[in-house]
Amino acid sequence: MTIRVWDYLPEYHDEREEVLAAVARVFESGQLILGPSVAGFEAEFAAYHGVAHCSGVDNGTNAIKLALQALGVGPGDEVVTVANTAAPTVVAIDGTGAKPVFVDVREDDFLMDTDQLAAVLTPRTRALVPVHLYGQCVDMAPLRRLGEQHGLAVLEDCAQSHGARHHGRLAGTLGDAAAFSFYPTKVLGAYGDGGAVVTDDEHVDQNMRRLRYYGMEDRYYVERVPGHNSRLDEVQAEILRGKLRRLDAYVAGRREVARRYTEALADLAGPGGLVLPSVSPGNEHVYYLYVVRHPRRDEIIERLRAYDVALNISYPWPVHTMAGFAHLGYAKGSLPVTEKLAGEVFSLPMYPSLSAERQQTVIRALRDVLTGL
């Protein structure tokens, strides 16, 4: 049986009764849209982060898009982010009518190179979107300083960093607002799509609630446009309430899987060969993905097929090189670190319910391939 990079079935088998009970509670409640389950999850997710407000939405992409709009971003503005992220980060920026602007990343931890931010700011810059990639946080102090100096909103993309901490503070509490995805693969994943925006700013939260519900406050009366139909589903919210209580356990499980990889592969790591994940100072990594690098990445992945081990590349095409964003005018070589990493990174199987036995199968296969190169 092929070992996949992610598999929800072991976790589902362990939690099946609770998941099905959550579904039954919603179906028997008599309220299927923006009911007690969404309200309960919003309160509990906000409390987990120690913030005042949480707005549930239908997916992580719209969490970013609506959060930017709630922060005042719109057509003609510029929003600075990175290109070594899942395309939805940039699709969401584009969806506001704003122009995405990219800075490169650091080679050691793959995170935004904040030293490059000042050089790309213009009078049209309205917001900064740091991506807490793979499970650890961008260094937020430089972003906050620039935000305060230039009047810029700072929106954290926390799709991959549920439960991560930066100098003791949770991801999602380090900017003006934060967008989360609950796509099934995430550290806190639903059984379908879902997302949320957290903030301490009451005005931003009020804007979010209007934006996700056609621009309405009361039924049938639109207060402002744009408006969207972008509500978190009651069923997913009720399932997430149960899973939120286990979030810290999920994180602990991921860290244990990461520890086993790091210990088993350390002797194969070195210059010109395998590069293991680097945890930046002050960060507490949650290992949404366990991402390694090798200059012969494609050959390694192909050889591992014979071992029934399927790996993933996150992400093979930097966003600025995609045809859909050619209009932004970024030439090949304009983000050299991002482009280099895209040719070398790959993800090993990572999820809390990955057994030590199945993980050892992955480790043995990878060791065989690497020693045979």
Side-chain angles (χ1 to χ4, degrees):
M1 182 183 298
T2 299
I3 299 177
R4 298 184 292 177
V5 73
W6 174 77
D7 188 351
Y8 75 92
L9 289 174
E11 178 184 288
Y12 172 68
H13 292 151
D14 289 342
E15 301 174 6
R16 180 177 182 274
E17 290 187 9
E18 183 173 331
V19 170
L20 296 182
V23 174
R25 281 194 298 275
V26 173
F27 286 176
E28 293 168 2
S29 72
Q31 191 166 357
L32 299 177
I33 302 295
L34 290 183
S37 294
V38 168
F41 174 72
E42 289 173 339
E44 291 155 13
F45 198 63
Y48 178 87
H49 288 90
V51 299
H53 306 288
C54 171
S55 313
V57 295
D58 55 345
N59 57 64
T61 308
N62 280 336
I64 297 172
K65 178 182 175 181
L66 272 62
L68 287 171
Q69 292 176 326
L71 288 161
V73 174
D77 293 331
E78 294 179 351
V79 176
V80 182
T81 190
V82 292
N84 73 325
T85 180
T89 303
V90 186
V91 169
I93 295 170
D94 183 75
T96 68
K99 177 185 177 182
V101 175
F102 300 118
V103 294
D104 214 342
V105 297
R106 305 190 303 196
E107 191 165 351
D108 57 348
D109 60 12
F110 316 146
L111 299 172
M112 175 183 276
D113 186 345
T114 57
D115 290 340
Q116 298 187 19
L117 286 170
V120 301
L121 300 184
T122 75
R124 295 169 60 189
T125 307
R126 182 67 183 85
L128 309 174
V129 179
V131 179
H132 298 322
L133 195 70
Y134 303 150
Q136 67 173 328
C137 297
V138 174
D139 181 8
M140 293 296 293
L143 284 102
R144 292 310 307 257
R145 283 196 299 270
L146 283 174
E148 291 168 2
Q149 291 168 5
H150 298 276
L152 307 176
V154 178
L155 174 66
E156 299 172 74
D157 180 347
C158 296
Q160 302 185 10
S161 59
H162 309 73
R165 291 180 182 270
H166 181 61
H167 294 295
R169 293 182 59 185
L170 279 167
T173 67
L174 304 164
D176 297 301
F180 288 84
S181 169
F182 305 122
Y183 187 74
T185 63
K186 304 304 184 184
V187 179
L188 179 61
Y191 280 75
D193 274 316
V197 173
V198 301
T199 183
D200 272 323
D201 189 317
E202 184 176 1
H203 178 68
V204 172
D205 184 66
Q206 289 174 344
N207 285 342
M208 279 295 307
R209 292 177 183 278
R210 295 189 192 103
L211 285 163
R212 74 175 181 184
Y213 191 54
Y214 312 112
M216 297 178 182
E217 287 188 9
D218 297 316
R219 291 183 68 184
Y220 307 125
Y221 190 89
V222 174
E223 294 283 346
R224 60 161 291 175
V225 291
H228 307 271
N229 180 2
S230 182
R231 302 166 299 212
L232 179 61
D233 181 77
E234 278 285 289
V235 171
Q236 299 301 339
E238 189 65 21
I239 293 172
L240 285 166
R241 294 180 76 180
K243 297 190 74 175
L244 178 58
R245 292 190 286 270
R246 292 188 293 275
L247 176 54
D248 291 342
Y250 294 150
V251 169
R254 288 175 177 273
R255 287 176 174 153
E256 176 61 18
V257 172
R259 183 194 64 78
R260 294 196 297 254
Y261 276 135
T262 299
E263 289 183 357
L265 299 171
D267 64 309
L268 296 179
L274 187 68
V275 179
L276 299 178
S278 171
V279 181
S280 295
N283 275 344
E284 297 176 38
H285 207 310
V286 297
Y287 296 99
Y288 167 60
L289 299 175
Y290 190 90
V291 178
V292 299
R293 293 173 53 196
H294 198 286
R296 297 171 69 178
R297 185 264 317 277
D298 294 344
E299 185 179 353
I300 292 169
I301 291 176
E302 182 59 34
R303 291 192 183 191
L304 281 170
R305 296 184 195 279
Y307 294 82
D308 283 336
V309 174
L311 305 185
N312 190 48
I313 302 172
S314 299
Y315 300 93
W317 300 286
V319 177
H320 73 289
T321 68
M322 297 179 182
F325 291 102
H327 64 282
L328 297 177
Y330 285 87
K332 185 177 181 180
S334 58
L335 300 173
V337 178
T338 294
E339 294 168 30
K340 178 182 179 181
L341 293 174
E344 297 183 355
V345 296
F346 60 105
S347 304
L348 305 185
M350 167 58 76
Y351 45 96
S353 53
L354 178 64
S355 69
E357 180 182 4
R358 288 176 70 77
Q359 186 179 4
Q360 278 302 315
T361 300
V362 175
I363 291 167
R364 286 193 298 268
L366 183 57
R367 290 186 66 88
D368 284 350
V369 169
L370 290 173
T371 55
L373 288 178

